[in-house]
Amino acid sequence: MALQERLEKFKKQQEKCQTTLSSIAASKAAAQKSASASANGRNAVPPVKFSSDTERLQHINSIRKSPVGAQMKRVIDLLLETRQALTPEQINEACYVDMKANKDVFENLRKNPKVNYDGQRFSYKSKYGLKDKTELLHLIRKYPEGLAVIDLKDAYPTVMEDLQALKAAGQIWLLSNFDSQEDIAYPNDPKVHIKVDDDLKQLFRSIELPRDMIDIEKDLQKNGMKPATNTAKRRSAAQIQGISSKPKPKKKKSEISKRTKLTNAHLPELFQNLNSS
């Protein structure tokens, strides 16, 4: 009897141990599964990317490390384009040139002939402070000897269009300078008195021009000037269209003879050139 009780007790202890071991094994498996899932989750996270602003910051850094001259050009181009007076902070924000941090850029811009600095703001300074076509024409009329177009190009944004408009209206001439090949603006104003030396007049009158326009155009090109006409092209087009390039001979004006029936006999002075029959 005592042996049977001991066996029962031993069996219960065995079952208890088995339950404990199963519980331990289950807990361990769950822990491993959780760790594995956590590891997989970490692998699925995308790699950390740099800020989307990195490229812009690199660009700004390259500008600020560029030579002083390059930074000055960026500022001058900005002032020319905007035509506004800007503070150093506004310039830094617009073109990334930090003049407060770079004293060389600041001092050189302050002394630059193309830049005006009033103590607070920088602005573009053209050679002639013009605002519109009226002021442009008034300025050109002050220079009967001619005004270089290159000095007018940056006066205001539409100055080149206004020059062409003044030329089309016959108010100015735009001619090329023989030495520099640059355009010169001359006033076309009857009130402007232009004095020409007698020697120059005599030289002009003594020059014998070729009879053919093609030869004249060739001489102009040979001396670095662009002809206003293209006779060869015009003649070629006329031949293609079957039009003669030679001027038609003028018909001889018929004269009145004695056989002509006369009218207005009360005006005898009209018939003084009557040919004899």
Side-chain angles (χ1 to χ4, degrees), residues 131-260:
K131 295 179 181 178
D132 52 35
K133 185 165 63 176
T134 302
E135 292 185 2
L136 174 64
L137 179 59
H138 184 69
L139 175 70
I140 294 173
R141 284 177 173 171
K142 288 182 178 179
Y143 292 86
E145 70 279 7
L147 194 60
V149 172
I150 193 171
D151 292 334
L152 299 170
K153 282 184 176 180
D154 59 352
Y156 58 92
T158 59
V159 66
M160 297 307 293
E161 290 85 347
D162 286 347
L163 280 171
Q164 293 300 326
L166 291 173
K167 177 185 176 182
Q171 294 179 293
I172 66 169
W173 290 305
L174 288 178
L175 304 176
S176 295
N177 183 281
F178 179 75
D179 297 322
S180 63
Q181 301 297 315
E182 293 176 353
D183 286 341
I184 307 294
Y186 295 91
N188 184 15
D189 187 355
K191 294 180 291 184
V192 176
H193 178 69
I194 302 176
K195 184 179 179 181
V196 180
D197 294 339
D198 292 336
D199 292 343
L200 185 59
K201 292 179 183 177
Q202 185 177 357
L203 178 63
F204 179 81
R205 290 166 183 162
S206 66
I207 296 174
E208 185 177 352
L209 296 177
R211 293 183 177 274
D212 196 330
M213 273 300 297
I214 291 181
D215 295 331
I216 293 176
E217 291 167 0
K218 286 180 179 178
D219 285 346
L220 288 171
Q221 291 173 342
K222 190 185 299 182
N223 288 280
M225 290 176 279
K226 184 179 179 181
T229 57
N230 191 335
T231 305
K233 184 178 180 180
R234 179 172 56 80
R235 289 179 182 175
S236 177
Q239 288 177 357
I240 292 173
Q241 296 174 5
I243 303 173
S244 174
S245 60
K246 295 182 179 179
K248 293 181 180 179
K250 293 182 179 179
K251 291 182 179 180
K252 186 177 180 181
K253 189 175 181 181
S254 59
E255 296 181 348
I256 301 174
S257 66
K258 287 183 178 180
R259 287 190 294 271
T260 304

Side-chain angles (χ1 to χ4, degrees), residues 36-59:
S36 177
S38 178
N40 291 335
R42 282 197 300 271
N43 291 337
V45 175
V48 177
K49 292 183 178 179
F50 288 107
S51 169
S52 57
D53 232 16
T54 301
E55 187 175 348
R56 186 180 70 89
L57 294 174
Q58 289 177 342
H59 177 59

Side-chain angles (χ1 to χ4, degrees), residues 4-199:
Q4 186 66 30
E5 288 178 359
R6 289 179 181 177
L7 288 173
E8 289 294 333
K9 190 176 180 180
F10 178 75
K11 185 186 279 189
K12 288 180 180 180
Q13 288 177 346
Q14 289 291 325
E15 289 174 358
K16 188 177 180 180
C17 289
Q18 187 64 37
T19 302
T20 303
L21 290 173
S22 298
S23 177
I24 293 171
S27 299
K28 188 176 181 180
Q32 289 177 346
K33 185 176 181 181
S34 177
S36 177
S38 178
N40 291 335
R42 282 197 300 271
N43 291 337
V45 175
V48 177
K49 292 183 178 179
F50 288 107
S51 169
S52 57
D53 232 16
T54 301
E55 187 175 348
R56 186 180 70 89
L57 294 174
Q58 289 177 342
H59 177 59
I60 294 173
N61 187 52
S62 66
I63 290 173
R64 292 176 179 172
K65 286 186 176 181
S66 63
V68 171
Q71 296 188 56
M72 289 176 59
K73 184 179 184 305
R74 286 183 66 86
V75 176
I76 294 174
D77 289 346
L78 173 68
L79 298 176
L80 173 62
E81 182 182 352
T82 61
R83 301 284 176 159
Q84 295 179 2
L86 304 175
T87 64
E89 291 81 8
Q90 290 172 323
I91 292 171
N92 185 20
E93 184 178 349
C95 68
Y96 309 127
V97 175
D98 188 359
M99 288 191 287
K100 286 191 171 183
N102 194 328
K103 298 301 180 183
D104 289 338
V105 175
F106 183 92
E107 289 299 324
N108 281 281
L109 278 172
R110 190 175 61 83
K111 299 174 184 177
N112 193 285
K114 287 291 184 182
V115 176
N116 180 56
Y117 180 61
D118 63 4
Q120 292 182 336
R121 291 178 173 82
F122 291 88
S123 59
Y124 188 81
K125 182 169 66 177
S126 56
K127 186 171 183 178
Y128 300 103
L130 306 175
K131 295 179 181 178
D132 52 35
K133 185 165 63 176
T134 302
E135 292 185 2
L136 174 64
L137 179 59
H138 184 69
L139 175 70
I140 294 173
R141 284 177 173 171
K142 288 182 178 179
Y143 292 86
E145 70 279 7
L147 194 60
V149 172
I150 193 171
D151 292 334
L152 299 170
K153 282 184 176 180
D154 59 352
Y156 58 92
T158 59
V159 66
M160 297 307 293
E161 290 85 347
D162 286 347
L163 280 171
Q164 293 300 326
L166 291 173
K167 177 185 176 182
Q171 294 179 293
I172 66 169
W173 290 305
L174 288 178
L175 304 176
S176 295
N177 183 281
F178 179 75
D179 297 322
S180 63
Q181 301 297 315
E182 293 176 353
D183 286 341
I184 307 294
Y186 295 91
N188 184 15
D189 187 355
K191 294 180 291 184
V192 176
H193 178 69
I194 302 176
K195 184 179 179 181
V196 180
D197 294 339
D198 292 336
D199 292 343

